[in-house]
Amino acid sequence: MEIKFKGLCSKLIIELKSKGIKDQKVLDAISVTPRHLLFDPVFRDKFAYQDIAFPIGENQTISQPYTVAFQTELLAVSRGSKVLEIGTGSGYQTAVLCQLGAKVFSIERHKSLFKNAKLFLNQNNYRAQLFFGDGFIGKKVFAPYDRIIVTCGAPFVPNDLKSQLKVGGRMVIPVGEGEVQQMKLIQRLNEDDFKETNFGDFRFVPMLKNINN
Ligand code: SAH
């Protein structure tokens, strides 16, 4: 990473720590993921490493770094974990997961965002499998997953996603119909039982049905 952005990024890391992010592996992954490449050059210096969400077109946003860090910490991935992500968006969260050594499958419902994310990830050697489609139904052909992360506000926990989670697996999903969602950790205890834990309020763009060409 260019020295200028390295400096800005290390300030961001200090901020994330002060907000309660503890997992050093997550912080290390964020510290080497080039978030500035997802910004128009005009906005790069000023906004790329601020702890805020930012527009990426199609009325969508790149998630706030704190939110990415929080969800990634809660997801607890290891090297080789098979992860399904719903809402590729910019591809930033995808890149952070790849950086942690996860095998990522990610779905996006906006064609243009899907294309841009693919370009960003390819150009930076992040090897995720990206799909254009509807995240409500997950990706059954590659199931089951060790981890599932949803990065848009879901009106409910989709049954298809629950059924594609491995026994012993973890799903991190913001759930709520309005502007504010509850961050939930869902652990699959066995074939039939799931344990749900709440982690407070977050704000995401909504998870929507149907694809958008
Ligand atoms: N992880 C992204 C967050 C982007 S915002 C990042 O780091 O940039 C959430 C994304 O979820 C948006 O791009 C939106 O288009 C997408 N989305 C919303 N509903 C979806 C659905 N049903 N299936 C797949 N993607 C969806």
Side-chain angles (χ1 to χ4, degrees), residues 67 70-72 74-75 84 86 135-136 147-162 165 170-176 181-187 194-202 204 207:
T67 304
F70 190 90
Q71 283 195 285
T72 309
L74 203 50
L75 201 63
L84 176 67
I86 309 301
F136 274 100
R147 303 286 185 263
I148 297 179
I149 177 172
V150 178
T151 67
C152 39
F156 52 84
V157 183
N159 275 329
D160 281 323
L161 297 186
K162 285 169 88 171
L165 186 63
R170 297 159 77 88
M171 169 162 31
V172 175
I173 178 170
V175 183
Q181 297 85 32
Q182 296 290 311
M183 189 66 77
K184 289 182 192 285
L185 168 66
I186 292 168
Q187 290 166 281
F194 294 83
K195 179 185 168 193
E196 219 178 275
T197 318
N198 250 309
F199 286 86
D201 291 357
F202 284 81
F204 285 82
M207 183 174 187

mmCIF file of all heavy atoms in Angstrom, residues 67 70-72 74-75 84 86 135-136 147-162 165 170-176 181-187 194-202 204 207:
data_model
loop_
_atom_site.group_PDB
_atom_site.id
_atom_site.type_symbol
_atom_site.label_atom_id
_atom_site.label_comp_id
_atom_site.label_asym_id
_atom_site.label_seq_id
_atom_site.Cartn_x
_atom_site.Cartn_y
_atom_site.Cartn_z
ATOM 1 N N THR A 67 -18.153 -1.563 11.183
ATOM 2 C CA THR A 67 -19.149 -2.611 10.950
ATOM 3 C C THR A 67 -18.497 -3.841 10.328
ATOM 4 O O THR A 67 -18.779 -4.980 10.725
ATOM 5 C CB THR A 67 -20.274 -2.074 10.037
ATOM 6 O OG1 THR A 67 -20.824 -0.918 10.648
ATOM 7 C CG2 THR A 67 -21.362 -3.098 9.830
ATOM 8 N N PHE A 70 -16.502 -5.473 13.061
ATOM 9 C CA PHE A 70 -17.383 -6.092 14.060
ATOM 10 C C PHE A 70 -17.948 -7.408 13.531
ATOM 11 O O PHE A 70 -17.915 -8.441 14.205
ATOM 12 C CB PHE A 70 -18.527 -5.135 14.415
ATOM 13 C CG PHE A 70 -19.338 -5.580 15.593
ATOM 14 C CD1 PHE A 70 -18.998 -5.183 16.876
ATOM 15 C CD2 PHE A 70 -20.429 -6.423 15.419
ATOM 16 C CE1 PHE A 70 -19.737 -5.612 17.976
ATOM 17 C CE2 PHE A 70 -21.176 -6.858 16.515
ATOM 18 C CZ PHE A 70 -20.834 -6.443 17.790
ATOM 19 N N GLN A 71 -18.468 -7.373 12.307
ATOM 20 C CA GLN A 71 -19.055 -8.589 11.730
ATOM 21 C C GLN A 71 -17.988 -9.670 11.509
ATOM 22 O O GLN A 71 -18.236 -10.848 11.736
ATOM 23 C CB GLN A 71 -19.742 -8.282 10.392
ATOM 24 C CG GLN A 71 -21.091 -7.605 10.549
ATOM 25 C CD GLN A 71 -21.894 -7.659 9.253
ATOM 26 O OE1 GLN A 71 -21.600 -6.922 8.322
ATOM 27 N NE2 GLN A 71 -22.904 -8.502 9.191
ATOM 28 N N THR A 72 -16.808 -9.233 11.060
ATOM 29 C CA THR A 72 -15.744 -10.200 10.785
ATOM 30 C C THR A 72 -15.259 -10.850 12.080
ATOM 31 O O THR A 72 -15.028 -12.059 12.134
ATOM 32 C CB THR A 72 -14.564 -9.512 10.054
ATOM 33 O OG1 THR A 72 -15.079 -8.799 8.931
ATOM 34 C CG2 THR A 72 -13.549 -10.535 9.562
ATOM 35 N N LEU A 74 -17.015 -11.253 14.821
ATOM 36 C CA LEU A 74 -18.098 -12.127 15.275
ATOM 37 C C LEU A 74 -18.171 -13.423 14.450
ATOM 38 O O LEU A 74 -18.529 -14.487 14.954
ATOM 39 C CB LEU A 74 -19.411 -11.354 15.164
ATOM 40 C CG LEU A 74 -20.597 -11.765 16.023
ATOM 41 C CD1 LEU A 74 -20.200 -11.905 17.480
ATOM 42 C CD2 LEU A 74 -21.704 -10.718 15.864
ATOM 43 N N LEU A 75 -17.818 -13.314 13.180
ATOM 44 C CA LEU A 75 -17.871 -14.470 12.282
ATOM 45 C C LEU A 75 -16.817 -15.509 12.657
ATOM 46 O O LEU A 75 -17.046 -16.693 12.549
ATOM 47 C CB LEU A 75 -17.656 -13.983 10.844
ATOM 48 C CG LEU A 75 -18.136 -14.877 9.707
ATOM 49 C CD1 LEU A 75 -19.645 -15.071 9.752
ATOM 50 C CD2 LEU A 75 -17.725 -14.279 8.361
ATOM 51 N N LEU A 84 -19.982 -17.953 2.960
ATOM 52 C CA LEU A 84 -20.941 -17.387 2.014
ATOM 53 C C LEU A 84 -21.260 -15.970 2.460
ATOM 54 O O LEU A 84 -21.643 -15.748 3.615
ATOM 55 C CB LEU A 84 -22.231 -18.227 1.978
ATOM 56 C CG LEU A 84 -23.352 -17.665 1.096
ATOM 57 C CD1 LEU A 84 -22.972 -17.703 -0.387
ATOM 58 C CD2 LEU A 84 -24.662 -18.453 1.305
ATOM 59 N N ILE A 86 -23.570 -12.524 1.639
ATOM 60 C CA ILE A 86 -24.701 -11.989 0.884
ATOM 61 C C ILE A 86 -24.555 -10.469 0.841
ATOM 62 O O ILE A 86 -24.529 -9.809 1.880
ATOM 63 C CB ILE A 86 -26.056 -12.357 1.547
ATOM 64 C CG1 ILE A 86 -26.150 -13.855 1.836
ATOM 65 C CG2 ILE A 86 -27.208 -11.862 0.674
ATOM 66 C CD1 ILE A 86 -26.026 -14.766 0.640
ATOM 67 N N GLY A 135 -29.552 -13.240 -2.937
ATOM 68 C CA GLY A 135 -28.981 -13.829 -1.730
ATOM 69 C C GLY A 135 -29.974 -14.518 -0.817
ATOM 70 O O GLY A 135 -29.582 -15.310 0.036
ATOM 71 N N PHE A 136 -31.265 -14.223 -0.972
ATOM 72 C CA PHE A 136 -32.263 -14.884 -0.122
ATOM 73 C C PHE A 136 -32.218 -16.399 -0.280
ATOM 74 O O PHE A 136 -32.536 -17.124 0.653
ATOM 75 C CB PHE A 136 -33.684 -14.387 -0.459
ATOM 76 C CG PHE A 136 -34.071 -13.137 0.265
ATOM 77 C CD1 PHE A 136 -34.004 -11.900 -0.366
ATOM 78 C CD2 PHE A 136 -34.512 -13.189 1.588
ATOM 79 C CE1 PHE A 136 -34.376 -10.737 0.296
ATOM 80 C CE2 PHE A 136 -34.883 -12.030 2.259
ATOM 81 C CZ PHE A 136 -34.812 -10.802 1.619
ATOM 82 N N ARG A 147 -19.363 -20.643 7.528
ATOM 83 C CA ARG A 147 -19.765 -19.312 7.973
ATOM 84 C C ARG A 147 -20.656 -18.660 6.914
ATOM 85 O O ARG A 147 -20.404 -18.825 5.716
ATOM 86 C CB ARG A 147 -18.527 -18.410 8.150
ATOM 87 C CG ARG A 147 -17.474 -18.942 9.118
ATOM 88 C CD ARG A 147 -17.932 -18.793 10.545
ATOM 89 N NE ARG A 147 -16.923 -19.174 11.511
ATOM 90 C CZ ARG A 147 -16.861 -20.369 12.092
ATOM 91 N NH1 ARG A 147 -17.721 -21.328 11.771
ATOM 92 N NH2 ARG A 147 -15.939 -20.620 13.000
ATOM 93 N N ILE A 148 -21.639 -17.870 7.384
ATOM 94 C CA ILE A 148 -22.441 -17.065 6.456
ATOM 95 C C ILE A 148 -22.492 -15.652 7.019
ATOM 96 O O ILE A 148 -22.751 -15.449 8.212
ATOM 97 C CB ILE A 148 -23.871 -17.639 6.287
ATOM 98 C CG1 ILE A 148 -23.808 -19.055 5.663
ATOM 99 C CG2 ILE A 148 -24.721 -16.708 5.408
ATOM 100 C CD1 ILE A 148 -25.167 -19.732 5.471
ATOM 101 N N ILE A 149 -22.205 -14.675 6.159
ATOM 102 C CA ILE A 149 -22.256 -13.271 6.586
ATOM 103 C C ILE A 149 -23.192 -12.514 5.646
ATOM 104 O O ILE A 149 -23.054 -12.598 4.429
ATOM 105 C CB ILE A 149 -20.839 -12.638 6.632
ATOM 106 C CG1 ILE A 149 -20.910 -11.152 7.011
ATOM 107 C CG2 ILE A 149 -20.082 -12.820 5.317
ATOM 108 C CD1 ILE A 149 -19.547 -10.518 7.274
ATOM 109 N N VAL A 150 -24.158 -11.828 6.229
ATOM 110 C CA VAL A 150 -25.090 -11.029 5.438
ATOM 111 C C VAL A 150 -24.747 -9.564 5.689
ATOM 112 O O VAL A 150 -24.643 -9.143 6.845
ATOM 113 C CB VAL A 150 -26.558 -11.343 5.829
ATOM 114 C CG1 VAL A 150 -27.528 -10.476 5.033
ATOM 115 C CG2 VAL A 150 -26.860 -12.830 5.613
ATOM 116 N N THR A 151 -24.533 -8.807 4.610
ATOM 117 C CA THR A 151 -24.087 -7.418 4.775
ATOM 118 C C THR A 151 -25.136 -6.416 4.289
ATOM 119 O O THR A 151 -24.817 -5.297 3.933
ATOM 120 C CB THR A 151 -22.733 -7.165 4.085
ATOM 121 O OG1 THR A 151 -22.905 -7.267 2.673
ATOM 122 C CG2 THR A 151 -21.680 -8.169 4.524
ATOM 123 N N CYS A 152 -26.409 -6.866 4.298
ATOM 124 C CA CYS A 152 -27.531 -5.956 4.062
ATOM 125 C C CYS A 152 -28.582 -6.285 5.119
ATOM 126 O O CYS A 152 -28.561 -7.372 5.703
ATOM 127 C CB CYS A 152 -28.081 -6.120 2.639
ATOM 128 S SG CYS A 152 -28.135 -7.809 2.019
ATOM 129 N N GLY A 153 -29.460 -5.324 5.379
ATOM 130 C CA GLY A 153 -30.444 -5.499 6.454
ATOM 131 C C GLY A 153 -31.534 -6.473 6.046
ATOM 132 O O GLY A 153 -32.353 -6.181 5.172
ATOM 133 N N ALA A 154 -31.564 -7.634 6.682
ATOM 134 C CA ALA A 154 -32.517 -8.673 6.293
ATOM 135 C C ALA A 154 -33.835 -8.514 7.055
ATOM 136 O O ALA A 154 -33.822 -8.266 8.258
ATOM 137 C CB ALA A 154 -31.929 -10.051 6.570
ATOM 138 N N PRO A 155 -34.976 -8.644 6.379
ATOM 139 C CA PRO A 155 -36.272 -8.526 7.067
ATOM 140 C C PRO A 155 -36.506 -9.695 8.035
ATOM 141 O O PRO A 155 -37.254 -9.564 8.988
ATOM 142 C CB PRO A 155 -37.291 -8.546 5.929
ATOM 143 C CG PRO A 155 -36.585 -9.159 4.754
ATOM 144 C CD PRO A 155 -35.129 -8.823 4.926
ATOM 145 N N PHE A 156 -35.854 -10.824 7.766
ATOM 146 C CA PHE A 156 -35.957 -12.019 8.607
ATOM 147 C C PHE A 156 -34.740 -12.887 8.274
ATOM 148 O O PHE A 156 -34.004 -12.569 7.337
ATOM 149 C CB PHE A 156 -37.265 -12.788 8.338
ATOM 150 C CG PHE A 156 -37.474 -13.070 6.873
ATOM 151 C CD1 PHE A 156 -36.895 -14.179 6.264
ATOM 152 C CD2 PHE A 156 -38.223 -12.187 6.076
ATOM 153 C CE1 PHE A 156 -37.068 -14.433 4.910
ATOM 154 C CE2 PHE A 156 -38.392 -12.437 4.705
ATOM 155 C CZ PHE A 156 -37.808 -13.562 4.122
ATOM 156 N N VAL A 157 -34.541 -13.957 9.029
ATOM 157 C CA VAL A 157 -33.426 -14.857 8.711
ATOM 158 C C VAL A 157 -33.909 -15.864 7.661
ATOM 159 O O VAL A 157 -34.765 -16.705 7.958
ATOM 160 C CB VAL A 157 -32.934 -15.607 9.967
ATOM 161 C CG1 VAL A 157 -31.731 -16.478 9.619
ATOM 162 C CG2 VAL A 157 -32.574 -14.615 11.068
ATOM 163 N N PRO A 158 -33.405 -15.772 6.441
ATOM 164 C CA PRO A 158 -33.909 -16.660 5.382
ATOM 165 C C PRO A 158 -33.637 -18.136 5.701
ATOM 166 O O PRO A 158 -32.526 -18.501 6.085
ATOM 167 C CB PRO A 158 -33.122 -16.221 4.135
ATOM 168 C CG PRO A 158 -32.687 -14.818 4.427
ATOM 169 C CD PRO A 158 -32.429 -14.800 5.907
ATOM 170 N N ASN A 159 -34.674 -18.962 5.544
ATOM 171 C CA ASN A 159 -34.552 -20.400 5.821
ATOM 172 C C ASN A 159 -33.499 -21.071 4.948
ATOM 173 O O ASN A 159 -32.803 -21.972 5.400
ATOM 174 C CB ASN A 159 -35.899 -21.097 5.621
ATOM 175 C CG ASN A 159 -36.740 -20.995 6.875
ATOM 176 O OD1 ASN A 159 -36.198 -20.949 7.989
ATOM 177 N ND2 ASN A 159 -38.045 -20.930 6.710
ATOM 178 N N ASP A 160 -33.393 -20.622 3.695
ATOM 179 C CA ASP A 160 -32.394 -21.218 2.802
ATOM 180 C C ASP A 160 -30.990 -21.024 3.357
ATOM 181 O O ASP A 160 -30.140 -21.905 3.241
ATOM 182 C CB ASP A 160 -32.486 -20.604 1.401
ATOM 183 C CG ASP A 160 -33.635 -21.205 0.604
ATOM 184 O OD1 ASP A 160 -33.875 -22.417 0.734
ATOM 185 O OD2 ASP A 160 -34.288 -20.447 -0.146
ATOM 186 N N LEU A 161 -30.751 -19.861 3.958
ATOM 187 C CA LEU A 161 -29.412 -19.612 4.507
ATOM 188 C C LEU A 161 -29.171 -20.503 5.732
ATOM 189 O O LEU A 161 -28.084 -21.061 5.900
ATOM 190 C CB LEU A 161 -29.239 -18.132 4.858
ATOM 191 C CG LEU A 161 -29.330 -17.152 3.669
ATOM 192 C CD1 LEU A 161 -28.995 -15.732 4.114
ATOM 193 C CD2 LEU A 161 -28.414 -17.578 2.519
ATOM 194 N N LYS A 162 -30.198 -20.645 6.571
ATOM 195 C CA LYS A 162 -30.052 -21.528 7.741
ATOM 196 C C LYS A 162 -29.728 -22.948 7.304
ATOM 197 O O LYS A 162 -28.860 -23.609 7.864
ATOM 198 C CB LYS A 162 -31.335 -21.513 8.581
ATOM 199 C CG LYS A 162 -31.502 -20.232 9.386
ATOM 200 C CD LYS A 162 -32.877 -20.115 9.995
ATOM 201 C CE LYS A 162 -32.971 -20.773 11.351
ATOM 202 N NZ LYS A 162 -34.280 -20.457 12.004
ATOM 203 N N LEU A 165 -26.088 -23.670 6.290
ATOM 204 C CA LEU A 165 -25.048 -23.503 7.316
ATOM 205 C C LEU A 165 -24.677 -24.869 7.895
ATOM 206 O O LEU A 165 -25.553 -25.666 8.209
ATOM 207 C CB LEU A 165 -25.594 -22.581 8.416
ATOM 208 C CG LEU A 165 -24.647 -22.135 9.523
ATOM 209 C CD1 LEU A 165 -23.495 -21.299 8.967
ATOM 210 C CD2 LEU A 165 -25.424 -21.320 10.575
ATOM 211 N N ARG A 170 -21.436 -20.716 11.999
ATOM 212 C CA ARG A 170 -21.912 -19.422 12.498
ATOM 213 C C ARG A 170 -22.416 -18.559 11.356
ATOM 214 O O ARG A 170 -21.766 -18.481 10.310
ATOM 215 C CB ARG A 170 -20.766 -18.657 13.183
ATOM 216 C CG ARG A 170 -20.184 -19.331 14.410
ATOM 217 C CD ARG A 170 -18.787 -18.813 14.708
ATOM 218 N NE ARG A 170 -18.787 -17.496 15.347
ATOM 219 C CZ ARG A 170 -18.858 -17.310 16.664
ATOM 220 N NH1 ARG A 170 -18.916 -18.346 17.477
ATOM 221 N NH2 ARG A 170 -18.833 -16.096 17.166
ATOM 222 N N MET A 171 -23.549 -17.898 11.595
ATOM 223 C CA MET A 171 -24.057 -16.905 10.641
ATOM 224 C C MET A 171 -24.163 -15.569 11.359
ATOM 225 O O MET A 171 -24.674 -15.495 12.474
ATOM 226 C CB MET A 171 -25.430 -17.332 10.107
ATOM 227 C CG MET A 171 -26.116 -16.220 9.327
ATOM 228 S SD MET A 171 -27.492 -16.680 8.214
ATOM 229 C CE MET A 171 -28.257 -18.071 8.956
ATOM 230 N N VAL A 172 -23.663 -14.499 10.716
ATOM 231 C CA VAL A 172 -23.776 -13.156 11.274
ATOM 232 C C VAL A 172 -24.678 -12.357 10.333
ATOM 233 O O VAL A 172 -24.380 -12.228 9.141
ATOM 234 C CB VAL A 172 -22.388 -12.496 11.409
ATOM 235 C CG1 VAL A 172 -22.518 -11.054 11.878
ATOM 236 C CG2 VAL A 172 -21.521 -13.293 12.385
ATOM 237 N N ILE A 173 -25.787 -11.867 10.870
ATOM 238 C CA ILE A 173 -26.815 -11.264 10.022
ATOM 239 C C ILE A 173 -27.544 -10.134 10.744
ATOM 240 O O ILE A 173 -28.020 -10.317 11.865
ATOM 241 C CB ILE A 173 -27.802 -12.371 9.540
ATOM 242 C CG1 ILE A 173 -28.941 -11.779 8.688
ATOM 243 C CG2 ILE A 173 -28.372 -13.182 10.708
ATOM 244 C CD1 ILE A 173 -29.805 -12.825 7.985
ATOM 245 N N PRO A 174 -27.596 -8.938 10.128
ATOM 246 C CA PRO A 174 -28.382 -7.852 10.715
ATOM 247 C C PRO A 174 -29.852 -8.035 10.333
ATOM 248 O O PRO A 174 -30.179 -8.111 9.153
ATOM 249 C CB PRO A 174 -27.794 -6.598 10.063
ATOM 250 C CG PRO A 174 -27.131 -7.056 8.803
ATOM 251 C CD PRO A 174 -26.917 -8.531 8.878
ATOM 252 N N VAL A 175 -30.728 -8.107 11.343
ATOM 253 C CA VAL A 175 -32.133 -8.397 11.075
ATOM 254 C C VAL A 175 -33.028 -7.261 11.545
ATOM 255 O O VAL A 175 -32.927 -6.796 12.686
ATOM 256 C CB VAL A 175 -32.571 -9.710 11.781
ATOM 257 C CG1 VAL A 175 -34.020 -10.043 11.422
ATOM 258 C CG2 VAL A 175 -31.665 -10.863 11.389
ATOM 259 N N GLY A 176 -33.910 -6.809 10.648
ATOM 260 C CA GLY A 176 -34.860 -5.759 11.000
ATOM 261 C C GLY A 176 -35.449 -5.140 9.748
ATOM 262 O O GLY A 176 -34.755 -4.991 8.752
ATOM 263 N N GLN A 181 -31.232 -2.263 12.281
ATOM 264 C CA GLN A 181 -31.312 -3.721 12.417
ATOM 265 C C GLN A 181 -30.569 -4.173 13.676
ATOM 266 O O GLN A 181 -29.714 -3.469 14.181
ATOM 267 C CB GLN A 181 -30.686 -4.424 11.197
ATOM 268 C CG GLN A 181 -31.397 -4.131 9.883
ATOM 269 C CD GLN A 181 -30.906 -2.851 9.231
ATOM 270 O OE1 GLN A 181 -29.750 -2.489 9.352
ATOM 271 N NE2 GLN A 181 -31.787 -2.154 8.533
ATOM 272 N N GLN A 182 -30.931 -5.364 14.132
ATOM 273 C CA GLN A 182 -30.227 -6.002 15.245
ATOM 274 C C GLN A 182 -29.189 -6.941 14.676
ATOM 275 O O GLN A 182 -29.540 -7.804 13.862
ATOM 276 C CB GLN A 182 -31.201 -6.861 16.067
ATOM 277 C CG GLN A 182 -32.299 -6.099 16.747
ATOM 278 C CD GLN A 182 -31.740 -5.267 17.862
ATOM 279 O OE1 GLN A 182 -30.974 -5.762 18.685
ATOM 280 N NE2 GLN A 182 -32.089 -3.996 17.870
ATOM 281 N N MET A 183 -27.940 -6.784 15.096
ATOM 282 C CA MET A 183 -26.917 -7.722 14.647
ATOM 283 C C MET A 183 -27.099 -9.032 15.401
ATOM 284 O O MET A 183 -27.092 -9.048 16.631
ATOM 285 C CB MET A 183 -25.529 -7.156 14.922
ATOM 286 C CG MET A 183 -24.423 -7.979 14.287
ATOM 287 S SD MET A 183 -24.485 -7.915 12.482
ATOM 288 C CE MET A 183 -23.796 -6.285 12.192
ATOM 289 N N LYS A 184 -27.275 -10.105 14.639
ATOM 290 C CA LYS A 184 -27.493 -11.401 15.285
ATOM 291 C C LYS A 184 -26.410 -12.397 14.899
ATOM 292 O O LYS A 184 -25.967 -12.427 13.750
ATOM 293 C CB LYS A 184 -28.843 -11.992 14.877
ATOM 294 C CG LYS A 184 -30.037 -11.271 15.475
ATOM 295 C CD LYS A 184 -31.328 -11.955 15.057
ATOM 296 C CE LYS A 184 -32.535 -11.111 15.385
ATOM 297 N NZ LYS A 184 -32.869 -11.112 16.807
ATOM 298 N N LEU A 185 -25.996 -13.181 15.897
ATOM 299 C CA LEU A 185 -25.131 -14.331 15.640
ATOM 300 C C LEU A 185 -26.011 -15.560 15.758
ATOM 301 O O LEU A 185 -26.688 -15.751 16.770
ATOM 302 C CB LEU A 185 -24.004 -14.399 16.679
ATOM 303 C CG LEU A 185 -23.211 -15.711 16.687
ATOM 304 C CD1 LEU A 185 -22.420 -15.896 15.396
ATOM 305 C CD2 LEU A 185 -22.265 -15.769 17.887
ATOM 306 N N ILE A 186 -26.031 -16.361 14.692
ATOM 307 C CA ILE A 186 -26.842 -17.578 14.707
ATOM 308 C C ILE A 186 -25.914 -18.775 14.599
ATOM 309 O O ILE A 186 -25.135 -18.885 13.650
ATOM 310 C CB ILE A 186 -27.867 -17.533 13.567
ATOM 311 C CG1 ILE A 186 -28.863 -16.415 13.904
ATOM 312 C CG2 ILE A 186 -28.572 -18.880 13.396
ATOM 313 C CD1 ILE A 186 -29.769 -16.030 12.818
ATOM 314 N N GLN A 187 -25.949 -19.616 15.607
ATOM 315 C CA GLN A 187 -25.082 -20.801 15.631
ATOM 316 C C GLN A 187 -25.937 -22.041 15.411
ATOM 317 O O GLN A 187 -26.986 -22.204 16.057
ATOM 318 C CB GLN A 187 -24.348 -20.883 16.969
ATOM 319 C CG GLN A 187 -23.306 -19.784 17.116
ATOM 320 C CD GLN A 187 -22.817 -19.657 18.548
ATOM 321 O OE1 GLN A 187 -23.489 -19.070 19.400
ATOM 322 N NE2 GLN A 187 -21.660 -20.208 18.815
ATOM 323 N N PHE A 194 -30.966 -24.051 16.429
ATOM 324 C CA PHE A 194 -30.128 -22.878 16.210
ATOM 325 C C PHE A 194 -30.154 -22.019 17.464
ATOM 326 O O PHE A 194 -31.200 -21.892 18.105
ATOM 327 C CB PHE A 194 -30.675 -22.063 15.036
ATOM 328 C CG PHE A 194 -30.589 -22.769 13.708
ATOM 329 C CD1 PHE A 194 -31.567 -23.686 13.317
ATOM 330 C CD2 PHE A 194 -29.529 -22.534 12.850
ATOM 331 C CE1 PHE A 194 -31.493 -24.345 12.100
ATOM 332 C CE2 PHE A 194 -29.441 -23.183 11.621
ATOM 333 C CZ PHE A 194 -30.424 -24.094 11.245
ATOM 334 N N LYS A 195 -29.012 -21.440 17.804
ATOM 335 C CA LYS A 195 -28.954 -20.542 18.952
ATOM 336 C C LYS A 195 -28.742 -19.125 18.433
ATOM 337 O O LYS A 195 -27.859 -18.890 17.589
ATOM 338 C CB LYS A 195 -27.789 -20.953 19.856
ATOM 339 C CG LYS A 195 -27.619 -20.065 21.065
ATOM 340 C CD LYS A 195 -26.362 -20.466 21.833
ATOM 341 C CE LYS A 195 -26.019 -19.417 22.873
ATOM 342 N NZ LYS A 195 -24.664 -19.622 23.390
ATOM 343 N N GLU A 196 -29.554 -18.181 18.941
ATOM 344 C CA GLU A 196 -29.475 -16.809 18.451
ATOM 345 C C GLU A 196 -28.969 -15.882 19.544
ATOM 346 O O GLU A 196 -29.472 -15.915 20.663
ATOM 347 C CB GLU A 196 -30.900 -16.402 18.057
ATOM 348 C CG GLU A 196 -30.970 -15.564 16.809
ATOM 349 C CD GLU A 196 -32.409 -15.239 16.440
ATOM 350 O OE1 GLU A 196 -33.041 -16.074 15.761
ATOM 351 O OE2 GLU A 196 -32.889 -14.163 16.839
ATOM 352 N N THR A 197 -27.971 -15.054 19.230
ATOM 353 C CA THR A 197 -27.471 -14.079 20.206
ATOM 354 C C THR A 197 -27.510 -12.697 19.567
ATOM 355 O O THR A 197 -27.158 -12.535 18.402
ATOM 356 C CB THR A 197 -26.016 -14.402 20.615
ATOM 357 O OG1 THR A 197 -25.883 -15.810 20.792
ATOM 358 C CG2 THR A 197 -25.633 -13.695 21.898
ATOM 359 N N ASN A 198 -27.935 -11.700 20.340
ATOM 360 C CA ASN A 198 -28.076 -10.338 19.839
ATOM 361 C C ASN A 198 -26.870 -9.472 20.133
ATOM 362 O O ASN A 198 -26.355 -9.502 21.244
ATOM 363 C CB ASN A 198 -29.281 -9.702 20.542
ATOM 364 C CG ASN A 198 -30.411 -9.516 19.568
ATOM 365 O OD1 ASN A 198 -30.197 -8.951 18.494
ATOM 366 N ND2 ASN A 198 -31.584 -9.987 19.925
ATOM 367 N N PHE A 199 -26.460 -8.659 19.173
ATOM 368 C CA PHE A 199 -25.299 -7.796 19.374
ATOM 369 C C PHE A 199 -25.577 -6.323 19.092
ATOM 370 O O PHE A 199 -24.683 -5.597 18.670
ATOM 371 C CB PHE A 199 -24.116 -8.309 18.554
ATOM 372 C CG PHE A 199 -23.508 -9.554 19.149
ATOM 373 C CD1 PHE A 199 -24.013 -10.801 18.834
ATOM 374 C CD2 PHE A 199 -22.479 -9.469 20.070
ATOM 375 C CE1 PHE A 199 -23.478 -11.949 19.405
ATOM 376 C CE2 PHE A 199 -21.940 -10.613 20.648
ATOM 377 C CZ PHE A 199 -22.436 -11.855 20.316
ATOM 378 N N GLY A 200 -26.811 -5.911 19.263
ATOM 379 C CA GLY A 200 -27.092 -4.482 19.221
ATOM 380 C C GLY A 200 -27.417 -3.910 17.853
ATOM 381 O O GLY A 200 -27.480 -4.617 16.852
ATOM 382 N N ASP A 201 -27.617 -2.587 17.838
ATOM 383 C CA ASP A 201 -28.135 -1.887 16.657
ATOM 384 C C ASP A 201 -27.069 -1.546 15.620
ATOM 385 O O ASP A 201 -25.986 -1.070 15.963
ATOM 386 C CB ASP A 201 -28.770 -0.559 17.099
ATOM 387 C CG ASP A 201 -30.053 -0.784 17.883
ATOM 388 O OD1 ASP A 201 -30.462 -1.953 18.023
ATOM 389 O OD2 ASP A 201 -30.628 0.213 18.341
ATOM 390 N N PHE A 202 -27.404 -1.780 14.372
ATOM 391 C CA PHE A 202 -26.576 -1.366 13.236
ATOM 392 C C PHE A 202 -27.501 -0.880 12.125
ATOM 393 O O PHE A 202 -28.698 -1.179 12.140
ATOM 394 C CB PHE A 202 -25.736 -2.553 12.736
ATOM 395 C CG PHE A 202 -24.559 -2.862 13.614
ATOM 396 C CD1 PHE A 202 -24.718 -3.609 14.778
ATOM 397 C CD2 PHE A 202 -23.292 -2.396 13.296
ATOM 398 C CE1 PHE A 202 -23.642 -3.884 15.613
ATOM 399 C CE2 PHE A 202 -22.207 -2.668 14.118
ATOM 400 C CZ PHE A 202 -22.385 -3.415 15.276
ATOM 401 N N PHE A 204 -27.973 -0.809 7.973
ATOM 402 C CA PHE A 204 -27.561 -1.320 6.664
ATOM 403 C C PHE A 204 -28.575 -0.903 5.609
ATOM 404 O O PHE A 204 -29.729 -0.622 5.931
ATOM 405 C CB PHE A 204 -27.523 -2.850 6.685
ATOM 406 C CG PHE A 204 -26.354 -3.442 7.420
ATOM 407 C CD1 PHE A 204 -26.376 -3.562 8.797
ATOM 408 C CD2 PHE A 204 -25.235 -3.872 6.738
ATOM 409 C CE1 PHE A 204 -25.295 -4.115 9.481
ATOM 410 C CE2 PHE A 204 -24.152 -4.421 7.411
ATOM 411 C CZ PHE A 204 -24.187 -4.540 8.783
ATOM 412 N N MET A 207 -31.927 -5.607 2.490
ATOM 413 C CA MET A 207 -31.820 -6.805 1.665
ATOM 414 C C MET A 207 -33.107 -6.885 0.853
ATOM 415 O O MET A 207 -34.202 -6.892 1.417
ATOM 416 C CB MET A 207 -31.681 -8.028 2.570
ATOM 417 C CG MET A 207 -31.488 -9.325 1.818
ATOM 418 S SD MET A 207 -31.170 -10.658 2.998
ATOM 419 C CE MET A 207 -30.775 -11.991 1.888
#
